[in-house]
């Protein structure tokens, strides 16, 4: 479950570069995962119950950093990851402590501050592709959701597999 959650969360970083072209300041903010669909069925027991907000910051070198919390075995853990920019302005690679890098590509929706992005990477023993809708708002904008569903259909994803994750507040990690 941790790997699936990380795959979903890691791909959220890609959204930041698109905002850079429309913003005169530093990137950053708190983003919410509004919808996600995978090319493979994700068993109920492997789906995270809820997602906490993700705090995103642009680093001076053009890379992007994201921080979020997740609960595992009843304990809260803070995750901090870096997404490395590539030669293509709308693509990033996430390496971190993952066995294999994950690729992320973004697409703007027709709604400001809403992004659709595709992530591809291995989850033990198989490659998984996902499309996600990310927003500054907890609730999905209807037009952004329509854009998301259109891209999912164009990419041959099964629309019945779209998940609308529950949003939760960030938990507070215990420090040793």
């Amino acid at each position: 479950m941790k790997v699936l959650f990380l795959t979903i969360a890691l791909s959220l970083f890609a959204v930041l570069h698109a905002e850079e072209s429309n913003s005169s300041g530093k990137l950053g903010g708190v983003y919410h995962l509004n919808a996600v669909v995978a090319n493979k069925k994700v068993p109920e027991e492997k789906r995270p119950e809820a997602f906490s907000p993700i705090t995103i910051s642009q680093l001076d070198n053009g890379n992007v950093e994201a921080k979020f919390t997740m609960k595992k075995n009843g304990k809260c853990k803070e995750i901090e990851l870096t997404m490395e920019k590539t030669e293509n302005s709308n693509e990033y690679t996430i390496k971190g402590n993952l066995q294999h890098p994950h690729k992320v590509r973004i697409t703007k929706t027709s709604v400001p501050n809403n992004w659709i992005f595709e992530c591809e990477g291995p989850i033990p023993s198989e490659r998984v592709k996902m499309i996600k809708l990310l927003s500054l708002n907890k609730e999905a904008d209807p037009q952004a959701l329509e854009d998301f569903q259109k891209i999912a259909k164009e990419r041959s994803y099964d629309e019945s597999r779209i998940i609308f994750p529950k949003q939760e507040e960030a938990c507070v990690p215990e420090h040793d």
Side-chain angles (χ1 to χ4, degrees):
M1 183 164 110
K2 181 179 177 184
V3 174
L4 175 62
F5 184 78
L6 286 174
T7 299
I8 293 170
L10 289 172
S11 63
L12 299 179
F13 299 130
V15 85
L16 295 177
H17 188 66
E19 185 176 303
E20 179 179 31
S21 62
N22 295 328
S23 166
S24 58
K26 285 253 184 191
L27 292 177
V30 177
Y31 291 84
H32 302 275
L33 180 62
N34 295 142
V36 63
V37 64
N39 66 332
K40 301 186 184 287
K41 186 171 182 174
V42 179
E44 289 283 334
E45 66 274 5
K46 293 198 177 196
R47 292 183 194 173
E49 291 180 19
F51 288 89
S52 67
I54 299 170
T55 302
I56 302 174
S57 305
Q58 174 135 11
L59 304 176
D60 291 338
N61 62 5
N63 293 340
V64 177
E65 178 181 78
K67 295 179 183 180
F68 59 95
T69 60
M70 66 180 250
K71 289 181 188 174
K72 184 171 183 180
N73 300 325
K75 293 187 179 185
C76 182
K77 182 176 180 178
E78 183 174 56
I79 308 293
E80 186 175 313
L81 302 163
T82 301
M83 187 172 63
E84 298 175 13
K85 65 180 180 174
T86 66
E87 291 179 12
N88 188 335
S89 65
N90 69 339
E91 291 183 0
Y92 288 88
T93 301
I94 302 167
K95 296 176 184 171
N97 60 356
L98 302 172
Q99 291 179 7
H100 304 284
H102 288 67
K103 295 178 184 178
V104 181
R105 182 177 38 170
I106 60 149
T107 305
K108 291 164 74 171
T109 71
S110 60
V111 180
N113 298 316
N114 285 259
W115 310 95
I116 295 170
F117 51 100
E118 297 175 71
C119 176
E120 180 180 348
I123 293 181
S125 77
E126 60 184 317
R127 280 199 98 55
V128 175
K129 294 180 181 181
M130 294 183 179
I131 300 176
K132 296 140 206 87
L133 175 61
L134 187 70
S135 171
L136 292 175
N137 300 315
K138 285 184 178 182
E139 299 296 323
D141 179 278
Q143 182 59 50
L145 185 56
E146 187 176 313
D147 294 348
F148 171 82
Q149 290 171 318
K150 180 180 176 184
I151 287 180
K153 187 174 183 176
E154 287 173 0
R155 305 282 196 277
S156 300
Y157 284 80
D158 181 349
E159 292 181 72
S160 69
R161 291 184 180 165
I162 294 175
I163 299 169
F164 301 96
K166 177 181 169 189
Q167 305 293 319
E168 70 179 3
E169 295 300 316
C171 58
V172 179
E174 296 176 17
H175 296 287
D176 297 327

